[in-house]
Amino acid sequence: MRCNRWNVHLLAGVWSSLALMLGCGDGEDDRSFNSPDRVMDGAGAGSGSGGSSSTAEEPGCSSLSEQVLAEELPEPGASLAGLRFAGDIPDFVDAALERRSPFALELVRGGRLETDFGDCSVVFAGEPRSAAELYQALEVIVHECGHFYDAFLSSGSRDAYELTPELSFRCDRGDTTRRGGDTFARSRIAGDRYAASRPACENVSRPGCDPYADVYLDGDPDDGVFQSGDQGFNLLMEEAVQYVNSIATAWSFADQQPANIAISARDGILTFLWYIERYLRMARTEFPAAYERISQDDCWRDLTLGVWTRGVRYLQLSRSESKLGIADDELEQLVREPELLEEIERLRELDDCP
Ligand SMILES: [Zn+2]
């Protein structure tokens, strides 16, 4: 029997984290995996033409894909021997991440700079009673601390994104036109022609529905009442950045994940790659000012392509870990819709660098 655990994280002015148990079933995992060269081929890691970097640190014209792929990978095989959990959550989290994922540790430490909510590694750890339980919480901790760190580094209409140890972005005017930017509410993609392929669950567990839409694409952007879905492209990207950190962390500690529980680490980033494609398509066809902001502003364009490349990389690295995904095969097919992949290719073609 295998159980499914969906981790859906919410950034909507109020920080919260939901872990949804959506049932268990008998039978072996019967999903088949794509061969390495078939995962997002044509739009995956290292396959693009690259482009200029928008980082404050590296303003030169070198391949964006190369910069993303230069990231030193976590070490899932690094020994955890000798680590003991005796109730000190921050101490254990830091020690575990230091062994396997120094960048994740950097995000957690950065997240702690935002102190209004307490230590993010504690707030989002749940109530672990053992090292085993705390290992399983690391994915959520790194995701949420990553939000805190980016929020700490952001100000006004300028959003900060720490993508890799060497690649960071500071992009302007990415929120909606009603919230001081040039984009549109992300919930509008819930009305596009792709949404029916995976409709929102509406808080009822059923096969083939999208639990992320309940959280991230909710509400009516025109009703004057704030809902998470009213947020613009900037926070769509912020979630995508952190869902890459989720899969990276889950992959780094996959050996600590019980074999009889499948988690949504792959589903999360696949869902956001799908949202990004759909948002780009809607922007290009219906919101030209938003599309100009995203496609002509080097910072937003490179952030989008950078998240895409890094996300695809960790999807490739984790493809043999079946317990790190629930509906990931179905989601991958949605992401691979050719006319949606074209939106990523369009952005690549706009990059300046050969
Ligand atoms: Zn989140």
Side-chain angles (χ1 to χ4, degrees), residues 71-215:
E71 176 189 357
E72 192 171 333
L73 289 175
E75 295 186 48
S79 172
L80 301 171
L83 293 186
R84 299 274 182 272
F85 176 58
D88 187 334
I89 293 172
D91 187 60
F92 185 90
V93 167
D94 289 15
L97 294 179
E98 191 167 27
R99 297 273 183 101
R100 294 194 171 180
S101 184
F103 179 56
L105 177 57
E106 188 180 322
L107 296 174
V108 169
R109 286 180 168 157
R112 290 185 181 130
L113 297 171
E114 178 65 70
T115 56
D116 288 352
F117 298 89
D119 184 326
C120 56
S121 71
V122 176
V123 172
F124 295 101
E127 296 180 349
R129 294 160 297 181
S130 64
E133 290 183 4
L134 197 40
Y135 281 127
Q136 291 177 59
L138 286 177
E139 174 206 353
V140 174
I141 290 170
V142 174
H143 177 118
E144 301 295 349
C145 289
H147 278 317
F148 279 95
Y149 191 26
D150 281 352
F152 177 79
L153 297 170
S154 300
S155 64
S157 62
R158 169 164 288 197
D159 288 287
Y161 306 89
E162 297 297 300
L163 187 63
T164 73
E166 284 82 34
L167 204 49
S168 57
F169 295 82
R170 304 288 184 270
C171 305
D172 294 315
R173 298 189 60 80
D175 209 339
T176 67
T177 51
R178 290 180 185 176
R179 291 161 49 92
D182 297 317
T183 72
F184 58 93
R186 65 189 181 202
S187 64
R188 292 195 190 280
I189 66 171
D192 71 9
R193 71 190 192 84
Y194 304 98
S197 304
R198 194 167 174 81
C201 292
E202 297 177 337
N203 299 314
V204 178
S205 173
R206 59 180 187 275
C209 72
D210 178 4
Y212 298 90
D214 291 349
V215 175

Side-chain angles (χ1 to χ4, degrees), residues 198-262:
R198 194 167 174 81
C201 292
E202 297 177 337
N203 299 314
V204 178
S205 173
R206 59 180 187 275
C209 72
D210 178 4
Y212 298 90
D214 291 349
V215 175
Y216 299 107
L217 306 182
D218 64 335
D220 174 355
D222 302 315
D223 65 3
V225 178
F226 176 78
Q227 288 117 348
S228 164
D230 295 350
Q231 296 172 331
F233 189 70
N234 59 337
L235 291 176
L236 177 69
M237 292 308 300
E238 171 59 28
E239 286 300 341
V241 167
Q242 301 314 332
Y243 276 108
V244 183
N245 289 326
S246 293
I247 179 63
T249 306
W251 174 67
S252 306
F253 290 90
D255 60 342
Q256 303 300 313
Q257 177 67 36
N260 65 340
I261 298 178

